Amino acid sequence: MPMLGAFLTPHPPVLLPEVGKGREREISATGNAMRMAAEEVARWSPEVLIVASPHTILYGDYFHIAPGSGADGSMAAFGAPQVRIEAQYDEPLREEVIRRAEHMGLQAGTLGQRDPSLDHGVLIPLYFLRKAGVNCPILRMGLSGFSALDHYRLGQCVAEAVEALGRRAVFVASGDLSHKLRADGPYGFAPEGPIFDKAVTQTMASGNFLEFLTMDPSLCERAAECGLRSFQMMAGALDGLAVQPRLLSHEDTFGVGYGVALFPVTGRNDARRYAAACEQNRKERLAARRAKEDPWVQLARLSLETCIRQGHPLQTLPESLPAELTEQTAGAFVSLHKDGRLRGCIGTIAPTQENTAMEIVQNAVSAGTRDPRFPPVSAEELDELEYNVDVLGQPEPVDSPARLDPKQYGVIVSCGHKRGLLLPDLDGVDTVEQQLEIARQKGGIRENEPYTIQRFKVVRHT
């Protein structure tokens, strides 16, 4: 079979002796597993490596596949310019993957290249593979903001293209695990970090790739994971194939999870086709969430769906809304998420409408159609959206960052007419310093400009 198997690999620069200068011995289990895996791949005699890396160019709405005949790169950014690798690209395979992706309705191609150099997510696995004698061409692929299922489908396109061209191929899924495994690590600790690593390594050991596709997006965000979408694409490349899963190592010495696994293909197995199960799981999760929506969120959803499907704003409010919505005023933010990622967020710091209900009606439509960071929501997306409504309490001034708590309070930073706001309890915002920095950037306030701080509480409706 053209797909020979897959190599799931981390990419810590310190793993290379030229970079680690002795520290690589602190993760020797990872290094030993990488060498073992590379030697095994060499015995498979691949003709092409398909390498998916989180550090190759990433777009929210496009899968970037590296163009040209080849590229090189070095570890100069990590103090080791002498580590340099060149790679040829398999151009016919790239064109066949793009053709099949377009036929499947996926946005993929060679547009938008910024830096042609091989990134360290590609360089580090190639470093070990080259030392093991694997010198074949590669196909270099980036990830995207698309869903888990779309990454899986692109992997399917890869497998179909490989088979159509008769290549002997190995999929190299580059990615670290959680970055929040230890309080003394560079990214700190989050309880979700060890939970994520346990779930992912169990999946590596079992080979049940459906688990890669159905992990809770909020858990993944809070764990600050790196490689899951590479693993999802890998799962698609092995669609319908029997594999012999081999988890070779897992370490968290530096507070970041490093997992190494091999998945040699042993035959065909139609029971290992996960696209339909992934889609069904997604529909059930969305339906369960929608069934639990409270009146605040139901109103936001009704407002946006009416505007997009009927072409005009909501004309009258639903009957029997709670008095808090119809008899009170407040600022409110409406946030939209799709596949666990932000799809739009617009709000008001202070009330601008006759009541909170109308505040939500206005801001829901704005979040879906006027957030400058995203294209307007299409009718086809409406059933895939998840809504949050944050009703703001009265802002109060604070004289010191010590009175802030990013889990409990939102912040408003002001400098003259410039103002930036950040809601509380956001995934990935764990410190006061992060909260203030993001709020300052949102307000266009430069680092050396003085600013005042206000804090506020919210009631979050989901």
Side-chain angles (χ1 to χ4, degrees):
M1 278 158 286
M3 286 303 306
L4 305 174
F7 175 17
L8 191 154
T9 163
H11 48 243
V14 71
L15 192 61
L16 308 189
E18 297 87 345
V19 176
K21 302 185 187 308
R23 293 197 71 200
E24 70 278 5
R25 290 192 289 270
E26 299 179 52
I27 50 171
S28 59
T30 299
N32 291 336
M34 291 286 284
R35 284 185 284 273
M36 183 188 305
E39 291 166 2
E40 177 72 12
V41 170
R43 288 192 285 272
W44 299 347
S45 301
E47 297 171 336
V48 63
L49 302 173
I50 296 95
V51 188
S53 167
H55 299 285
T56 292
I57 297 168
L58 186 154
Y59 291 103
D61 57 355
Y62 190 72
F63 287 109
H64 177 81
I65 304 176
S69 60
D72 63 13
S74 80
M75 298 297 290
F78 303 97
Q82 73 275 25
V83 179
R84 176 171 289 276
I85 293 176
E86 296 182 359
Q88 288 185 320
Y89 291 147
D90 188 329
E91 297 178 70
L93 180 61
R94 178 179 62 215
E95 297 310 310
E96 184 68 13
V97 170
I98 293 172
R99 187 183 71 79
R100 289 175 180 273
E102 290 175 346
H103 184 262
M104 194 175 279
L106 300 173
Q107 299 297 313
T110 58
L111 301 177
Q113 177 165 266
R114 296 175 183 172
D115 181 359
S117 302
L118 301 178
D119 61 271
H120 73 278
V122 176
L123 286 169
I124 290 169
L126 285 186
Y127 175 97
F128 286 91
L129 288 162
R130 291 292 175 83
K131 285 186 176 294
V134 181
N135 294 294
C136 60
I138 72 170
L139 183 67
R140 179 185 174 210
M141 306 180 69
L143 311 179
S144 78
F146 290 134
S147 68
L149 184 56
D150 284 340
H151 284 80
Y152 187 88
R153 285 173 172 159
L154 186 59
Q156 289 178 295
C157 293
V158 167
E160 291 169 2
V162 162
E163 186 157 9
L165 297 184
R167 300 284 198 270
R168 292 173 55 84
V170 172
F171 198 101
V172 180
S174 180
D176 297 335
L177 307 187
S178 171
H179 283 60
K180 295 202 171 189
L181 297 178
R182 296 170 65 104
D184 58 354
Y187 305 96
F189 176 80
E192 293 83 359
I195 296 172
F196 176 86
D197 270 38
K198 181 178 180 180
V200 169
T201 52
Q202 285 179 343
T203 302
M204 292 179 192
S206 71
N208 179 13
F209 295 154
L210 182 61
E211 299 300 322
F212 284 149
L213 304 174
T214 57
M215 293 190 70
D216 179 1
S218 178
L219 169 71
C220 298
E221 183 76 21
R222 291 179 181 271
E225 62 85 16
C226 168
L228 183 60
R229 285 171 285 176
S230 289
F231 310 158
Q232 292 165 348
M233 200 183 296
M234 176 199 76
L238 299 178
D239 176 70
L241 298 176
V243 299
Q244 183 180 18
R246 293 169 57 193
L247 173 61
L248 301 179
S249 71
H250 174 255
E251 291 188 289
D252 65 353
T253 305
F254 303 130
V256 178
Y258 304 137
V260 182
L262 275 178
F263 302 98
V265 170
T266 60
R268 296 194 180 275
N269 183 348
D270 284 342
R272 293 180 55 79
R273 298 187 184 276
Y274 298 114
C278 175
E279 180 63 18
Q280 182 62 28
N281 177 277
R282 183 165 170 263
K283 288 180 179 178
E284 291 174 357
R285 179 178 59 81
L286 289 171
R289 180 181 173 103
R290 186 163 184 163
K292 295 179 181 178
E293 290 176 349
D294 69 10
W296 284 255
V297 175
Q298 290 173 358
L299 179 60
R301 182 183 290 277
L302 176 65
S303 303
L304 182 58
E305 291 183 351
T306 299
C307 179
I308 292 178
R309 287 185 170 140
Q310 299 182 21
H312 59 75
L314 190 65
Q315 302 295 317
T316 58
L317 292 175
E319 298 181 359
S320 303
L321 288 176
E324 291 175 72
L325 281 168
T326 59
E327 298 177 7
Q328 298 179 12
T329 62
F333 275 72
V334 177
S335 304
L336 313 175
H337 289 80
K338 179 181 174 183
D339 297 315
R341 293 178 173 82
L342 187 67
R343 185 62 181 84
C345 179
I346 294 289
T348 44
I349 297 173
T352 64
Q353 302 295 315
E354 61 190 81
N355 54 37
T356 304
M358 291 307 299
E359 205 79 35
I360 292 170
V361 168
Q362 173 182 277
N363 293 339
V365 172
S366 295
T369 63
R370 301 190 188 99
D371 189 328
R373 298 168 294 179
F374 304 96
V377 169
S378 66
E380 292 73 23
E381 294 178 277
L382 289 172
D383 290 338
E384 303 173 8
L385 296 180
E386 299 178 21
Y387 292 69
N388 290 334
V389 176
D390 289 297
V391 179
L392 276 61
Q394 186 67 31
E396 59 179 359
V398 297
D399 54 12
S400 168
R403 298 182 61 199
L404 300 177
D405 178 343
K407 297 301 179 186
Q408 183 178 8
Y409 295 106
V411 296
I412 303 169
V413 297
S414 303
C415 177
H417 66 281
K418 294 185 287 188
R419 179 180 290 184
L421 177 146
L422 198 68
L423 295 169
D425 196 24
L426 297 178
D427 289 340
V429 182
D430 301 312
T431 68
V432 170
E433 291 76 19
Q434 287 176 308
Q435 188 181 43
L436 290 173
E437 174 69 11
I438 297 170
R440 183 181 59 75
Q441 291 178 357
K442 290 180 69 175
I445 301 170
R446 293 191 296 271
E447 190 172 2
N448 60 348
E449 289 185 296
Y451 56 82
T452 59
I453 305 171
Q454 295 172 287
R455 71 181 187 183
F456 59 90
K457 288 187 174 183
V458 305
V459 177
R460 177 158 294 168
H461 301 268
T462 59

